[in-house]
Amino acid sequence: MSALPVFGAGIWHFATYLDRYATEGYGEPVGLIDQIDLAGAVGDLSVVDLNWPFAGFDGTLDDVRTALDRNGLRAIAITPEIYNRDYIKGSITNPDPAVRAQALALLHEATALAQELGCDYVKLWFGQDGWDYPFQVSYQDVWKLAIDALRELCSAHPDMRFVIEYKPREPRNKIIFPSAARTLLAIQQTGCENLGVLLDFGHSLYGLETPADAAQLCIDHGKLFAIDVNDNFRGWDDDMVVGSVHLVETFEFFHTLRKNNWDGVWQLDQFPFREDSVQAARQAITFLKALHRALDALDEEALAAAQANHDALAAQKLVQRVLLSSMVGEDS
Amino acid sequence: MSALPVFGAGIWHFATYLDRYATEGYGEPVGLIDQIDLAGAVGDLSVVDLNWPFAGFDGTLDDVRTALDRNGLRAIAITPEIYNRDYIKGSITNPDPAVRAQALALLHEATALAQELGCDYVKLWFGQDGWDYPFQVSYQDVWKLAIDALRELCSAHPDMRFVIEYKPREPRNKIIFPSAARTLLAIQQTGCENLGVLLDFGHSLYGLETPADAAQLCIDHGKLFAIDVNDNFRGWDDDMVVGSVHLVETFEFFHTLRKNNWDGVWQLDQFPFREDSVQAARQAITFLKALHRALDALDEEALAAAQANHDALAAQKLVQRVLLSSMVGEDS
Amino acid sequence: MSALPVFGAGIWHFATYLDRYATEGYGEPVGLIDQIDLAGAVGDLSVVDLNWPFAGFDGTLDDVRTALDRNGLRAIAITPEIYNRDYIKGSITNPDPAVRAQALALLHEATALAQELGCDYVKLWFGQDGWDYPFQVSYQDVWKLAIDALRELCSAHPDMRFVIEYKPREPRNKIIFPSAARTLLAIQQTGCENLGVLLDFGHSLYGLETPADAAQLCIDHGKLFAIDVNDNFRGWDDDMVVGSVHLVETFEFFHTLRKNNWDGVWQLDQFPFREDSVQAARQAITFLKALHRALDALDEEALAAAQANHDALAAQKLVQRVLLSSMVGEDS
Amino acid sequence: MSALPVFGAGIWHFATYLDRYATEGYGEPVGLIDQIDLAGAVGDLSVVDLNWPFAGFDGTLDDVRTALDRNGLRAIAITPEIYNRDYIKGSITNPDPAVRAQALALLHEATALAQELGCDYVKLWFGQDGWDYPFQVSYQDVWKLAIDALRELCSAHPDMRFVIEYKPREPRNKIIFPSAARTLLAIQQTGCENLGVLLDFGHSLYGLETPADAAQLCIDHGKLFAIDVNDNFRGWDDDMVVGSVHLVETFEFFHTLRKNNWDGVWQLDQFPFREDSVQAARQAITFLKALHRALDALDEEALAAAQANHDALAAQKLVQRVLLSSMVGEDS
């Protein structure tokens, strides 16, 4: 059996949530240190992605380090919260120059933290940068603001990597980076070597992409810096547990990564609104390990031959055989 | 010109919101009395739908009455909050019998309030009753729980009307009453005369229905007790301002209501996350008044003839002519 | 191991297709007798659903019988072609009374054939009955025409069963029977005991239903007369090979059937546009047999306990364990 | 009033259609010359896009020229049929090298014809180049084949322009050029100056793009060579008559073109399956002329100010005022 990948998770996986209806929340708030301890309790996680600012946390950075250490975790990334409070009409594309400056300052600050914690990258998710209504914005202006700010940020920190996590929509009805291709165009325009893509499987899926194809595109541009996995019903970012619905396409996604010798972290971006977060992570990883075994068992030569003929049936047969025997003897 | 309809709104139109990302909210909280004053400021609203409990409100019912009175508003409905805090895994279909009892108690309480305020109906929106994952529930059990509870509630208050506001999803990935037809089946099964449908235009639209057809179906079953309007991009309940996107289908919806002499309230269910709520309501009503003029101007005889032939082009021509001249001279 | 189900297929599975672009077809035309022989070549099929009229066939009914016999096949149903040539603006809801009469005559004729062949049911699929544009039809009129014609047809043949195969759209942009619930309402309105539902898994899926829930609803109304399976990407009726995408939900669908002791035919409705049709059927059945084994292996008691708590994670774990070991040792 | 744009149409607008159900067609076949005469009968069309080969036509090129001339029409483009008969598993990405060579030969031939007819461009629509099932193809291989063939074709004809008409899907479940951004990436990779984008409004809409934003992106890359308009319900390429559903977004699309001084043809790509094709074109143009008047009337300065603030309500108000009075006095 080939070596297992490194598993990770966004730390928010272990938080509780609220939404526009359940405004009092889906559970008691969980503090940052407790979130880290829950991540540690999963047992298979090696890295976490941390939000900045540390919401509702009044401890020190050393407290965070200590908590990470005792759980055998490393901060792989910082995700600055450029989609809360002050940024509801956008961060780097906000119509107000003062808010844009504030957003950029926060991004620099998050980068400094990422450097201090030895992170691999800073994750940029522009959930509030976009539009809701026809005619609301000048698309050209918004795009230019985004490119300029990205160039400024990434040029200022040549030793740090940055990733854009694209997403079609939510919370804005339309987000400026909705797809892999659009994001690659943006990255090209900035001219920044240290700016890449974080491909979230679920975003790709409900954005009408074929996630494995999107991954290949990013890889071919040298830009697949990171990935997230979860699942959904193809109409929204449901952030369900990996393997709930799209078993075959999740398998194809990881097959594409292996084929290209992509060796990054297999990272969870799930929102277990009503589920136990530790158990949700464990079951996702149990499934991912099954996929990993299936990848080992897959007849790559036969698959390549099938694909050379665009033979869907032959390919599916090979895939089902290994996928539908990937949990034999599993009892977790 | 025919008489204008009565306009109304859900009081939450004048609140501020939060979501799973902007957890600190899209604006400063607005108290209930302030919400009522904002509704009054719109100028064209006659009725409002109130949530119960009155969230974050420590005044008396008389304070509410006074606020309504000074703004020329009447409470048309009470919408009990059976989708917050305790009900994240369902209200009347919760797996825990104690929570189901608590939900029913809240519904009875809301009904008493509705009676006290002289409301027309109690609105039941089961946003948390449903499921998120395949295999999560027994569909038969969940359905039976829902029907039994509805029967118990509605039978207990034969003098009050109840409406089910159906919706395909959100916050649950799947909601038990997702469509007009499914809701009518449920109502039949309860055998309750005083239970009907609230048809939300946007829910119908993104649920793949033709809203005008869904309205006709409910009317033909004697069950169109109330309606809500808003707009969206057909993939989610965006709750945008009426008339933002689907002008023709909104017009068709109201045409169907008029054709059937349906004379209920034209009610707004919008969520102006980043917009001024009073202005959002005003613009919606400006558009609805334009539709109302267009209905007056429409050549009904010619339209009936076109429809008798299923002649889409002839029908569209008649419709465009009145719709695209409905705001002549308008300067609001 | 429990007894295998009876497998069937629509005979069109073994035809070739054309569409609005590939107007010259996806392959050489295959005659009816050849289609039957191909169905026989699959090896696991026991029944087929036949279109009427027999398109491009100039043999006798005895020729058809002979072909069925030599392949060990029985005609389970007749599907009259009320969506071709003369019916592009509707069959029983066509604006032209002459066309409506012609459609009804064809339906009676198809019923006579079904009786002669000893079929279980006549399948009614109203693909051209609906509308394409806003304002095109009077929904009330169209619905009434449909109900009246169904009543007339089904009352005239009390010894034959009829099924409505609902579908959200295609070829019409909107079809009059788009969902299980809407179809059940129609059936109720006709008052015909011998009229039921054919639930096509793919139609249900891309119509935003949960197929297992829709099946339960039909069963609880005593109306699940037949089912079809296939797969798609949730946005269209792709009619892909069973098990290509939605493994878990297909499993859940058959689990619901078993739980209710539903013992009808497991029938394929696939369109292998670019694939070998015999191989496409074989792989679908290979997958369905794996599901059947997984059903045998599923811990029903534990699942019921999980569902009683709406415990998605516990349920998924039980399901994955049996599903992902259902093809062990399989080498077909 | 500003000068009217040039109007055009794909010649297939005046054909009849068939699909996988109505295999006998939606009407009697219409020959090429008759199609041209119907295009002429519309009265406002100046250019047409012609398919090659001329399907079912046994006349000469001079016959075609004569027909165009007597109707005051010019061939603006040739659209080679690389999606029929031989190309059901792809044209330039077909797994069979012989088919790829044949496709390329056809493309060269179509280019020669375009030159002979003085066309502005050759339109490339790769409807059969893509995949249907997970694991069916190697995405890297398919993409490389496409880029190489495009480079070979476009380099060979530096004096002719080529456009890629992107589309998310249909007939393939997934098409290799599904979006504006992905197509721009491909064009960049070919390095061909004479290769651009044809943006079909409907494809953009149901591909989850904002069409006006996609247009701006293509313009900013100097690649918006041509556009097509039609309408749909956002889930499929319904090719409905322009202005049936998305009035505001169609208006926004043309507003973006005007703002950028884009002065190409306003071209129809409608499929009036069950409608009179001449009337369908006329009504589309009537609506487009109304949009043109509305563009003249729009307060651009106020709109720019609203957009500078991302003020959706202010923008919508300006837009509704001109759009909903754009057909005053219209009686066509």
Side-chain angles (χ1 to χ4, degrees):
Chain A
M1 192 175 120
S2 63
L4 278 176
V6 173
F7 294 106
I11 198 65
W12 52 90
H13 186 294
F14 303 97
T16 51
Y17 315 103
L18 42 77
D19 62 30
R20 63 172 170 151
Y21 298 112
T23 53
E24 295 160 349
Y26 282 81
E28 290 301 309
V30 180
L32 176 59
I33 300 300
D34 288 340
Q35 290 175 24
I36 294 171
D37 287 339
L38 287 170
V42 173
D44 274 305
L45 294 177
S46 304
V47 301
V48 289
D49 177 345
L50 299 177
N51 287 118
W52 174 256
F54 298 143
F57 176 66
D58 55 3
T60 66
L61 186 54
D62 272 344
D63 295 340
V64 174
R65 268 195 245 263
T66 304
L68 290 170
D69 286 350
R70 77 167 166 262
N71 286 290
L73 294 169
R74 184 174 71 86
I76 189 173
I78 298 296
T79 297
E81 290 218 354
I82 47 175
Y83 42 77
N84 208 335
R85 204 174 12 189
D86 299 327
Y87 306 110
I88 60 169
K89 292 190 87 170
S91 62
I92 57 172
T93 68
N94 196 290
D96 181 347
V99 178
R100 295 200 298 269
Q102 180 184 336
L104 212 46
L106 181 67
L107 292 172
H108 285 299
E109 189 182 293
T111 307
L113 175 65
Q115 280 161 329
E116 198 170 340
L117 286 173
C119 293
D120 295 2
Y121 57 87
V122 173
K123 190 178 84 184
L124 308 171
W125 176 67
F126 296 104
Q128 299 283 13
D129 289 270
W131 53 91
D132 299 303
Y133 285 85
F135 280 101
Q136 182 169 7
V137 303
S138 157
Y139 304 112
Q140 194 178 43
D141 291 353
V142 165
W143 187 251
K144 191 180 178 325
L145 286 173
I147 301 300
D148 289 349
L150 285 169
R151 192 184 295 118
E152 180 178 338
L153 174 68
C154 300
S155 312
H157 307 279
D159 297 338
M160 178 53 66
R161 287 185 133 193
F162 295 86
V163 302
I164 297 173
E165 180 177 9
Y166 66 87
K167 185 178 176 183
R169 51 168 309 186
E170 195 217 8
R172 289 318 279 265
N173 285 351
K174 297 282 180 180
I175 292 178
I176 50 169
F177 301 121
S179 67
R182 185 82 188 239
T183 308
L184 290 171
L185 280 179
I187 292 170
Q188 282 187 5
Q189 233 172 310
T190 65
C192 297
E193 286 297 316
N194 58 333
L195 179 59
V197 173
L198 183 148
L199 194 166
D200 180 287
F201 177 85
H203 297 178
S204 180
L205 201 65
Y206 93 97
L208 298 186
E209 295 179 346
T210 299
D213 171 54
Q216 186 66 59
L217 183 76
C218 293
I219 288 171
D220 288 343
H221 283 77
K223 290 297 183 187
L224 190 67
F225 285 11
I227 62 115
D228 271 354
V229 277
N230 47 55
D231 213 334
N232 62 52
F233 287 118
R234 274 182 198 271
W236 190 253
D237 186 31
D238 303 317
D239 282 329
M240 295 160 76
V241 174
V242 182
S244 302
V245 182
H246 293 99
L247 289 71
V248 178
E249 282 152 299
T250 307
F251 186 42
E252 190 193 25
F253 179 69
F254 284 107
H255 177 255
T256 299
L257 298 187
R258 176 178 290 206
K259 195 170 130 182
N260 287 278
N261 300 311
W262 188 93
D263 60 355
V265 174
W266 292 25
Q267 195 149 233
L268 306 180
D269 184 6
Q270 307 179 145
F271 274 63
F273 281 91
R274 300 169 187 83
E275 286 73 37
D276 179 88
S277 59
V278 172
Q279 185 60 16
R282 281 184 184 151
Q283 287 192 209
I285 292 172
T286 298
F287 176 71
L288 290 172
K289 287 179 176 174
L291 285 195
H292 188 262
R293 283 191 296 275
L295 285 175
D296 283 350
L298 187 60
D299 183 340
E300 290 287 354
E301 212 170 316
L303 179 62
Q307 292 187 339
N309 290 320
H310 298 197
D311 185 339
L313 295 179
Q316 289 264 326
K317 188 195 283 192
L318 294 164
V319 165
Q320 283 190 356
R321 203 181 294 165
V322 296
L323 185 62
L324 299 189
S325 58
S326 62
M327 276 210 188
V328 177
E330 191 66 28
D331 52 25
S332 79
Chain B
M1 191 176 119
S2 64
L4 278 176
V6 172
F7 294 106
I11 197 65
W12 52 89
H13 186 293
F14 303 98
T16 50
Y17 315 103
L18 42 77
D19 62 30
R20 62 171 170 152
Y21 299 112
T23 53
E24 295 160 348
Y26 282 80
E28 289 302 309
V30 180
L32 177 59
I33 300 301
D34 288 340
Q35 291 175 24
I36 293 171
D37 286 339
L38 288 169
V42 172
D44 274 305
L45 295 177
S46 304
V47 301
V48 289
D49 177 345
L50 299 177
N51 286 119
W52 173 257
F54 298 143
F57 176 67
D58 55 3
T60 68
L61 185 55
D62 271 344
D63 296 339
V64 174
R65 268 195 244 264
T66 304
L68 290 170
D69 286 350
R70 77 166 165 262
N71 287 288
L73 295 169
R74 183 175 72 85
I76 190 174
I78 297 296
T79 297
E81 290 217 354
I82 49 175
Y83 41 78
N84 208 335
R85 203 172 16 187
D86 299 328
Y87 306 109
I88 59 170
K89 293 190 85 169
S91 62
I92 58 172
T93 68
N94 195 289
D96 181 347
V99 177
R100 295 199 298 269
Q102 180 184 336
L104 212 45
L106 182 66
L107 292 172
H108 284 300
E109 191 182 291
T111 307
L113 175 64
Q115 281 161 328
E116 200 171 339
L117 286 173
C119 294
D120 294 3
Y121 57 88
V122 173
K123 190 178 84 185
L124 308 171
W125 176 66
F126 296 104
Q128 299 283 13
D129 290 270
W131 54 91
D132 300 302
Y133 285 86
F135 280 102
Q136 183 169 7
V137 303
S138 157
Y139 304 111
Q140 193 178 44
D141 291 353
V142 164
W143 187 252
K144 192 180 177 324
L145 287 173
I147 301 301
D148 289 350
L150 285 169
R151 192 184 294 118
E152 181 178 337
L153 174 67
C154 300
S155 312
H157 307 280
D159 298 337
M160 177 54 65
R161 284 185 136 193
F162 296 85
V163 301
I164 297 173
E165 181 177 10
Y166 67 88
K167 184 178 178 182
R169 52 167 312 187
E170 196 219 5
R172 288 319 278 265
N173 286 351
K174 296 283 179 178
I175 292 178
I176 51 170
F177 301 121
S179 67
R182 185 82 188 240
T183 309
L184 290 171
L185 280 179
I187 292 170
Q188 284 186 5
Q189 233 172 311
T190 65
C192 296
E193 285 296 317
N194 58 332
L195 179 58
V197 173
L198 182 147
L199 195 167
D200 179 287
F201 177 84
H203 297 178
S204 180
L205 201 65
Y206 94 96
L208 298 186
E209 295 179 347
T210 298
D213 172 54
Q216 186 66 58
L217 183 76
C218 293
I219 288 170
D220 289 343
H221 282 78
K223 289 298 184 188
L224 190 67
F225 285 11
I227 60 115
D228 271 353
V229 276
N230 48 55
D231 213 333
N232 62 51
F233 287 118
R234 275 183 197 269
W236 190 252
D237 186 29
D238 303 317
D239 282 328
M240 294 160 77
V241 175
V242 181
S244 303
V245 182
H246 294 99
L247 289 72
V248 179
E249 283 152 298
T250 307
F251 186 42
E252 190 193 25
F253 179 69
F254 283 107
H255 177 255
T256 298
L257 298 187
R258 177 179 288 206
K259 193 169 132 183
N260 287 278
N261 300 311
W262 189 92
D263 60 355
V265 174
W266 292 25
Q267 193 149 230
L268 306 180
D269 184 6
Q270 306 179 147
F271 274 63
F273 281 91
R274 300 170 187 82
E275 284 73 39
D276 179 88
S277 59
V278 172
Q279 185 60 16
R282 281 185 184 150
Q283 287 191 209
I285 292 171
T286 297
F287 176 71
L288 290 172
K289 287 179 176 173
L291 284 195
H292 189 262
R293 283 191 295 275
L295 285 176
D296 283 351
L298 186 61
D299 183 339
E300 291 286 354
E301 212 171 315
L303 179 62
Q307 292 188 339
N309 289 320
H310 299 198
D311 185 340
L313 295 179
Q316 289 265 327
K317 187 194 285 193
L318 294 163
V319 165
Q320 283 190 356
R321 202 180 297 166
V322 297
L323 184 61
L324 299 189
S325 58
S326 63
M327 274 208 188
V328 176
E330 189 67 27
D331 53 26
S332 80
Chain C
M1 192 174 119
S2 64
L4 278 175
V6 173
F7 294 107
I11 198 64
W12 52 89
H13 186 293
F14 304 98
T16 50
Y17 315 103
L18 42 77
D19 62 31
R20 63 171 171 152
Y21 298 111
T23 54
E24 295 160 348
Y26 282 80
E28 289 302 309
V30 180
L32 177 59
I33 301 301
D34 288 340
Q35 289 175 24
I36 294 170
D37 286 340
L38 287 170
V42 172
D44 274 304
L45 295 177
S46 304
V47 301
V48 289
D49 176 346
L50 298 176
N51 287 118
W52 174 256
F54 297 145
F57 176 66
D58 57 2
T60 68
L61 186 54
D62 271 344
D63 295 340
V64 174
R65 268 196 245 263
T66 304
L68 289 170
D69 285 350
R70 78 167 164 262
N71 286 289
L73 293 170
R74 184 175 73 85
I76 190 174
I78 298 297
T79 298
E81 290 216 356
I82 48 175
Y83 43 78
N84 209 334
R85 203 174 14 190
D86 300 328
Y87 306 109
I88 59 169
K89 292 190 86 169
S91 63
I92 58 173
T93 68
N94 196 289
D96 181 346
V99 177
R100 294 200 297 268
Q102 180 185 335
L104 212 46
L106 181 66
L107 292 173
H108 285 301
E109 192 181 291
T111 308
L113 175 64
Q115 281 162 329
E116 200 171 339
L117 286 173
C119 294
D120 295 1
Y121 57 87
V122 174
K123 190 178 82 186
L124 308 171
W125 176 66
F126 296 104
Q128 299 283 13
D129 290 270
W131 54 90
D132 300 304
Y133 286 85
F135 280 101
Q136 182 169 7
V137 304
S138 158
Y139 304 111
Q140 192 178 44
D141 290 354
V142 165
W143 187 251
K144 191 179 177 325
L145 287 173
I147 301 301
D148 289 349
L150 285 169
R151 192 184 293 118
E152 181 178 336
L153 174 68
C154 300
S155 311
H157 308 279
D159 297 337
M160 177 54 65
R161 285 185 137 194
F162 296 86
V163 301
I164 297 173
E165 181 178 9
Y166 67 88
K167 184 179 178 181
R169 51 167 312 187
E170 195 217 8
R172 288 319 278 266
N173 285 351
K174 295 283 179 178
I175 293 179
I176 50 170
F177 301 121
S179 67
R182 185 81 188 240
T183 308
L184 289 171
L185 280 179
I187 292 170
Q188 284 186 4
Q189 231 171 314
T190 66
C192 295
E193 286 295 318
N194 57 334
L195 179 58
V197 174
L198 183 147
L199 194 166
D200 180 288
F201 177 84
H203 297 178
S204 180
L205 201 65
Y206 93 97
L208 298 187
E209 294 179 347
T210 299
D213 171 55
Q216 186 65 59
L217 183 76
C218 294
I219 287 170
D220 288 342
H221 283 78
K223 289 298 184 189
L224 190 68
F225 285 12
I227 60 115
D228 271 354
V229 276
N230 48 54
D231 213 333
N232 62 51
F233 286 118
R234 275 183 197 270
W236 191 252
D237 187 30
D238 303 316
D239 281 330
M240 295 160 78
V241 175
V242 182
S244 302
V245 181
H246 294 98
L247 289 72
V248 178
E249 282 153 299
T250 306
F251 186 42
E252 190 192 25
F253 179 69
F254 284 108
H255 177 255
T256 299
L257 298 186
R258 178 178 288 204
K259 193 169 132 182
N260 287 278
N261 300 311
W262 190 92
D263 61 355
V265 175
W266 292 24
Q267 195 149 231
L268 306 180
D269 184 6
Q270 305 178 148
F271 274 64
F273 281 90
R274 301 169 186 84
E275 285 73 38
D276 179 87
S277 59
V278 172
Q279 185 61 16
R282 281 185 184 150
Q283 288 191 209
I285 293 171
T286 297
F287 176 71
L288 290 172
K289 287 179 175 173
L291 285 195
H292 189 263
R293 282 191 296 275
L295 286 175
D296 283 352
L298 187 62
D299 183 340
E300 291 286 354
E301 212 169 316
L303 179 63
Q307 293 187 338
N309 289 320
H310 299 197
D311 185 340
L313 295 179
Q316 289 265 328
K317 187 195 283 193
L318 293 163
V319 166
Q320 284 190 354
R321 202 180 295 167
V322 296
L323 184 61
L324 298 189
S325 59
S326 64
M327 275 208 186
V328 177
E330 191 66 26
D331 53 26
S332 79
Chain D
M1 191 175 119
S2 63
L4 278 176
V6 174
F7 294 107
I11 198 64
W12 52 90
H13 186 294
F14 305 98
T16 51
Y17 315 103
L18 42 77
D19 62 30
R20 63 171 171 152
Y21 298 111
T23 54
E24 294 159 349
Y26 283 80
E28 289 302 308
V30 180
L32 176 59
I33 300 300
D34 288 341
Q35 291 175 24
I36 293 171
D37 287 339
L38 288 169
V42 172
D44 273 306
L45 294 177
S46 304
V47 301
V48 289
D49 176 346
L50 299 177
N51 286 118
W52 174 258
F54 298 144
F57 177 66
D58 56 3
T60 67
L61 186 55
D62 273 344
D63 296 340
V64 174
R65 269 195 244 263
T66 305
L68 290 171
D69 286 350
R70 78 166 164 264
N71 287 290
L73 294 170
R74 183 174 73 84
I76 189 174
I78 297 297
T79 298
E81 290 218 355
I82 47 175
Y83 42 77
N84 209 335
R85 204 173 13 188
D86 300 327
Y87 306 109
I88 59 170
K89 292 191 86 169
S91 63
I92 58 171
T93 68
N94 196 290
D96 182 346
V99 178
R100 295 200 298 267
Q102 181 184 334
L104 212 46
L106 182 66
L107 293 173
H108 284 300
E109 191 181 292
T111 307
L113 175 64
Q115 280 161 330
E116 199 171 340
L117 286 173
C119 294
D120 295 2
Y121 57 88
V122 174
K123 189 178 84 186
L124 308 172
W125 176 66
F126 296 104
Q128 299 283 13
D129 289 271
W131 53 91
D132 299 304
Y133 285 86
F135 281 100
Q136 182 169 6
V137 302
S138 158
Y139 304 112
Q140 193 178 42
D141 291 353
V142 165
W143 187 251
K144 192 180 177 325
L145 286 172
I147 301 301
D148 289 349
L150 284 169
R151 192 183 294 119
E152 180 177 336
L153 174 68
C154 301
S155 312
H157 307 281
D159 298 337
M160 178 54 65
R161 286 185 135 193
F162 295 86
V163 302
I164 297 173
E165 181 177 10
Y166 66 88
K167 184 179 177 183
R169 50 166 312 183
E170 193 216 10
R172 289 317 279 265
N173 286 351
K174 296 282 178 179
I175 292 178
I176 50 169
F177 301 121
S179 67
R182 185 80 188 239
T183 308
L184 289 171
L185 280 179
I187 292 170
Q188 285 186 3
Q189 234 172 312
T190 65
C192 295
E193 286 296 318
N194 58 332
L195 179 59
V197 173
L198 183 147
L199 194 166
D200 180 287
F201 177 85
H203 296 178
S204 180
L205 201 64
Y206 93 97
L208 299 186
E209 294 179 347
T210 298
D213 171 54
Q216 186 66 58
L217 183 76
C218 293
I219 287 171
D220 288 343
H221 283 77
K223 289 299 183 188
L224 190 68
F225 285 12
I227 61 116
D228 271 354
V229 275
N230 47 55
D231 213 334
N232 62 50
F233 286 118
R234 275 184 197 268
W236 190 252
D237 186 30
D238 304 316
D239 282 329
M240 295 161 77
V241 175
V242 181
S244 303
V245 181
H246 293 98
L247 289 71
V248 179
E249 281 152 300
T250 306
F251 186 42
E252 190 193 26
F253 179 68
F254 284 108
H255 176 256
T256 298
L257 297 186
R258 176 177 290 207
K259 194 169 130 181
N260 287 278
N261 300 312
W262 189 92
D263 61 355
V265 174
W266 292 25
Q267 193 150 233
L268 306 179
D269 183 7
Q270 306 179 147
F271 274 64
F273 281 91
R274 301 169 186 83
E275 286 73 37
D276 179 87
S277 59
V278 173
Q279 185 60 17
R282 281 184 183 151
Q283 288 191 209
I285 292 171
T286 297
F287 176 71
L288 289 173
K289 287 179 175 173
L291 285 196
H292 189 263
R293 282 191 296 275
L295 285 176
D296 282 351
L298 186 61
D299 183 340
E300 290 287 353
E301 211 169 317
L303 179 62
Q307 292 188 339
N309 289 320
H310 299 197
D311 184 340
L313 294 179
Q316 289 265 326
K317 188 195 283 194
L318 294 164
V319 165
Q320 283 191 356
R321 203 180 294 165
V322 295
L323 185 62
L324 298 189
S325 59
S326 63
M327 275 209 188
V328 177
E330 190 65 27
D331 54 25
S332 79

